[in-house]
């Protein structure tokens, strides 16, 4: 049984086809980066709305622009997206026998390159915007100002009713493609790779050596530009390359930290944290220091422990939870700076007046 299923998780040394775990891991890598960065931007926007509020308002567009620079950098230099290169994979064109022996440093053909770039960046952006649109329409449907017979209300109600089926068909398409890839019936695990006309293979030792040589040659062959046009082009190219390189380096270093943030702030983990921290209110203190002159608690709950009369202007000590007359406890705390029942250290700011609903 194990021998028959071994091809699902590993491949032979001569097989360049990555395992299903490798391709699924690289898919989940970028999906974990977005929510983690989104939470960081949200914290910055809440702490300083004046300076960082625009980051939260335009997060989708800013993230898409940075993602475009990052993916363009890796597709042009490594023939792979950032996550694919992170797991030692590259893209090759489907149906061309010459591409099997082409090094990753050579890059993809122009057609496959631009298809890959658009599908890598545009599809996640459109999917995010569509999900936000559906969420806003559902909220608007609950508090709609349109009459029930309006054409607009009928349209977006039909859209909301059809969206779950469209989303299910989309996810089912990806799932069926992954099953075909696991069973060896497909060359690529994602339909987007098929639309781009590429497939994933592992990087070889020759690919890694060629990438290192390409980086060394690019660093050593930098020549000063003479004309103003060449200087501007060189400056723009260096700026874009620097942004892409800094993004790739920071993401590579902080990837595990971002995945930890994504797990920590996930809804399932937050429910677990809430269940652990939602403890019942502790009971009043059992140990009362009667030997130091602390008054005994009266049997009637409406009686003040200090004056032994019906309480007037009920006031509770936040440090202990016991209730007294306001005048009694104010005078006592001002003189002794502690709770008369428990002996806990108390200040005047710990007095909280209680108001009955009928008052």
């Amino acid at each position: 049984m194990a021998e028959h299923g071994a091809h699902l998780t590993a491949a032979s040394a001569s097989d360049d086809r990555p395992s299903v775990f490798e391709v699924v891991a690289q898919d989940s890598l970028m999906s974990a980066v977005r929510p983690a960065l989104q939470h960081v931007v949200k914290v910055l926007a809440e702490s300083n709305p004046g300076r960082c509020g625009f980051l939260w308002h335009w997060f989708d567009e800013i993230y898409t622009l940075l993602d475009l620079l990052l993916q363009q950098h890796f597709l042009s230099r490594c023939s792979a997206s950032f996550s694919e290169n992170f797991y030692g994979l590259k893209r090759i064109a489907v149906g061309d026998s010459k591409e099997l022996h082409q090094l990753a440093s050579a890059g993809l053909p122009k057609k496959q390159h631009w298809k890959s770039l658009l599908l890598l960046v545009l599809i996640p952006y459109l999917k995010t915007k569509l999900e936000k649109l559906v969420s806003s329409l559902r909220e608007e449907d609950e508090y709609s100002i349109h009459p029930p017979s309006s054409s607009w209300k009928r349209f977006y109600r039909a859209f909301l009713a059809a969206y779950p089926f469209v989303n299910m068909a989309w996810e089912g398409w990806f799932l069926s493609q992954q099953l075909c890839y696991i069973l060896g019936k497909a060359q690529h695990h994602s339909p987007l790779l098929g639309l781009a006309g590429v497939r994933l293979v592992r990087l070889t030792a020759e690919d890694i050596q060629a990438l290192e040589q390409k980086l060394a040659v690019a660093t050593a062959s930098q020549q000063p530009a003479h004309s103003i046009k060449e200087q501007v082009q060189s400056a723009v190219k260096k700026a874009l390359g620097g942004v892409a390189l800094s993004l790739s380096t920071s993401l590579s270093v902080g990837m595990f930290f971002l995945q930890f943030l994504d797990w920590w702030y996930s809804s399932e983990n937050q429910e677990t944290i809430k269940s652990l921290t939602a403890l019942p209110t502790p009971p009043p203190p059992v140990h009362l220091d009667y030997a130091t002159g602390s008054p005994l608690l009266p049997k009637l709950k409406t009686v003040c422990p200090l004056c032994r009369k019906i309480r007037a202007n009920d006031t509770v000590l936040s440090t202990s939870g016991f209730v007294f007359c306001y005048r009694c406890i104010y005078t006592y705390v001002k003189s002794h700076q502690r709770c008369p029942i428990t002996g806990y250290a108390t200040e005047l700011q710990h007095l909280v007046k209680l108001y009955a609903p009928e008052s």
Side-chain angles (χ1 to χ4, degrees), residues 10-18 100-101 199 201-202 204:
S12 62
S14 60
D15 190 6
D16 59 357
R17 183 173 178 267
L100 293 175
H101 306 287
R199 68 184 182 94
V201 296
R202 290 191 180 93
T204 62

Side-chain angles (χ1 to χ4, degrees), residues 141-163:
D141 189 37
E142 296 178 359
Y143 307 100
S144 178
I145 60 175
H146 298 283
S149 58
S150 65
S151 58
W152 169 246
K153 192 174 184 66
R154 289 197 300 269
F155 168 74
Y156 72 69
R157 278 191 171 177
F159 173 74
L160 290 177
Y163 177 76

Side-chain angles (χ1 to χ4, degrees), residues 70-83:
L70 183 70
Q71 305 300 356
Q72 167 64 16
H73 173 77
F74 277 90
L75 282 173
S76 59
R77 297 199 175 190
C78 310
S79 301
S81 67
F82 166 75
S83 57

Side-chain angles (χ1 to χ4, degrees), residues 5-27:
H7 69 284
L8 300 180
T9 58
S12 62
S14 60
D15 190 6
D16 59 357
R17 183 173 178 267
S19 68
V20 65
F21 288 126
E22 289 174 301
V23 295
V24 170
Q26 66 86 20
D27 278 340

Side-chain angles (χ1 to χ4, degrees), residues 104-146:
S105 58
L108 290 168
K110 276 192 174 181
K111 184 178 180 180
Q112 282 78 9
H113 175 92
W114 291 112
K115 278 186 177 182
S116 298
L117 184 62
L118 289 177
L119 292 173
L120 280 171
V121 177
L122 194 60
I123 294 299
Y125 174 75
L126 294 178
K127 191 171 185 294
T128 301
K129 285 298 184 182
L130 183 60
E131 290 174 352
K132 288 187 175 180
L133 175 62
V134 170
S135 178
S136 63
L137 287 178
R138 284 174 178 166
E139 292 179 359
E140 185 180 348
D141 189 37
E142 296 178 359
Y143 307 100
S144 178
I145 60 175
H146 298 283

Side-chain angles (χ1 to χ4, degrees), residues 19-240:
S19 68
V20 65
F21 288 126
E22 289 174 301
V23 295
V24 170
Q26 66 86 20
D27 278 340
S28 62
L29 185 61
M30 290 306 295
S31 62
V33 171
R34 186 186 187 94
L37 289 179
Q38 192 170 14
H39 177 76
V40 173
V41 171
K42 183 179 180 181
V43 171
L44 291 176
E46 289 177 349
S47 61
N48 196 343
R51 293 184 178 181
C52 304
F54 75 98
L55 293 176
W56 177 252
H57 186 264
W58 297 101
F59 175 78
D60 292 331
E61 287 70 23
I62 295 174
Y63 179 85
T64 302
L65 178 60
L66 295 177
D67 191 27
L68 178 66
L69 295 175
L70 183 70
Q71 305 300 356
Q72 167 64 16
H73 173 77
F74 277 90
L75 282 173
S76 59
R77 297 199 175 190
C78 310
S79 301
S81 67
F82 166 75
S83 57
E84 292 162 358
N85 181 261
F86 188 82
Y87 282 94
L89 306 176
K90 69 174 181 178
R91 296 186 175 207
I92 62 172
V94 175
D96 192 351
S97 59
K98 295 181 180 179
E99 296 291 336
L100 293 175
H101 306 287
Q102 189 169 356
L103 298 177
S105 58
L108 290 168
K110 276 192 174 181
K111 184 178 180 180
Q112 282 78 9
H113 175 92
W114 291 112
K115 278 186 177 182
S116 298
L117 184 62
L118 289 177
L119 292 173
L120 280 171
V121 177
L122 194 60
I123 294 299
Y125 174 75
L126 294 178
K127 191 171 185 294
T128 301
K129 285 298 184 182
L130 183 60
E131 290 174 352
K132 288 187 175 180
L133 175 62
V134 170
S135 178
S136 63
L137 287 178
R138 284 174 178 166
E139 292 179 359
E140 185 180 348
D141 189 37
E142 296 178 359
Y143 307 100
S144 178
I145 60 175
H146 298 283
S149 58
S150 65
S151 58
W152 169 246
K153 192 174 184 66
R154 289 197 300 269
F155 168 74
Y156 72 69
R157 278 191 171 177
F159 173 74
L160 290 177
Y163 177 76
F165 298 98
V166 174
N167 188 50
M168 181 177 65
W170 175 267
E171 298 295 338
W173 186 25
F174 278 74
L175 178 61
S176 61
Q177 188 69 31
Q178 287 182 357
L179 291 176
C180 292
Y181 182 81
I182 291 173
L183 298 175
K185 304 296 183 181
Q187 290 184 330
H188 36 71
H189 73 287
S190 172
L192 300 182
L193 292 175
L195 293 176
V198 296
R199 68 184 182 94
L200 293 178
V201 296
R202 290 191 180 93
L203 287 174
T204 62
E206 291 80 6
D207 288 320
I208 298 174
Q209 186 177 3
L211 290 174
E212 292 176 351
Q213 290 178 354
K214 183 179 180 180
L215 180 61
V217 170
T219 305
S221 62
Q222 292 180 354
Q223 298 178 354
H226 300 286
S227 65
I228 298 177
K229 182 179 179 181
E230 290 179 352
Q231 291 178 358
V232 172
Q233 291 178 348
S234 177
V236 172
K237 188 176 180 181
K238 285 182 180 179
L240 294 178

